[in-house]
Amino acid sequence: MGLHEQPVGYFQSGSPVTDEYLASYTFLNGTQLPYPGMKGMICEFDQGTSDARNICQFQLVIAGAGITPAEGAVLYWLDKAAYTVTTVVAAGNLAGIAPALMTAAASAFWMIKKGDDKVLFIAAPTVVVAAGLPVVASATAGKADALANVPAQAAFPLIGVALGATAADLATVRINIPDTF
């Protein structure tokens, strides 16, 4: 492969949002994933419609033991070298967002790093979530918070910008999570 070529992501279900590889899976290659070298792969996928594109960036990761992320859960690197994530805030640097409810702990799944998708918020955000407000990681495991547009207020890493209000503690956010190390 050339310097800028990237292999195409394989989505067993047809979408990175609904793909989940349980720890109990064993493919013909003897591993949890269907192809060698998939773990950590980054790919783009259009989650939009023919009228409104929504190109999202995903990365294939594995949830830590005992971790079953909810839809929109904020994820942190547990072990970046092993592409393992957790919802525990103290674990480390911001990694991405779980695009769907995972059904089993230690599953491999595609977390979202960039694009418009739902993020799970704490029950009582610092400010009422509204379009244009900064969305940050909170001190609560797996959940985000919204802040007023005050420059000195961000104490947690920026997840992105809210695109609207919350419903059932989920709001659509323009996610933009760069790798931090």
Side-chain angles (χ1 to χ4, degrees), residues 1-164:
M1 263 193 253
L3 180 62
H4 298 288
E5 291 179 26
Q6 181 175 337
V8 176
Y10 169 76
F11 311 120
Q12 181 173 296
S13 68
S15 168
V17 173
T18 52
D19 260 14
E20 181 178 12
Y21 303 98
L22 305 178
S24 60
Y25 278 13
T26 303
F27 286 90
L28 293 176
N29 63 14
T31 70
Q32 180 179 359
L33 300 172
Y35 298 105
M38 282 184 71
K39 190 167 49 169
M41 177 186 272
I42 293 175
C43 67
E44 291 184 345
F45 188 83
D46 187 356
Q47 292 197 128
T49 64
S50 59
D51 294 333
R53 298 184 68 178
N54 179 19
I55 306 296
C56 296
Q57 184 184 76
F58 292 87
Q59 185 170 24
L60 188 63
V61 295
I62 296 179
I67 303 297
T68 307
E71 177 184 11
V74 178
L75 302 169
Y76 300 88
W77 290 115
L78 184 61
D79 182 346
K80 184 146 191 310
Y83 301 104
T84 306
V85 296
T86 182
T87 55
V88 179
V89 179
N93 292 312
L94 188 60
I97 303 295
L101 171 65
M102 297 302 114
T103 59
S107 291
F109 63 96
W110 294 90
M111 72 176 174
I112 188 166
K113 299 196 57 87
K114 295 181 187 330
D116 300 350
D117 208 341
K118 292 187 173 148
V119 173
L120 185 60
F121 282 79
I122 56 177
T126 301
V127 296
V128 175
V129 180
L133 292 180
V135 176
V136 297
S138 75
T140 303
K143 296 190 178 179
D145 193 2
L147 302 176
N149 279 321
V150 178
Q153 200 171 26
F156 292 95
L158 183 66
I159 292 171
V161 177
L163 297 178

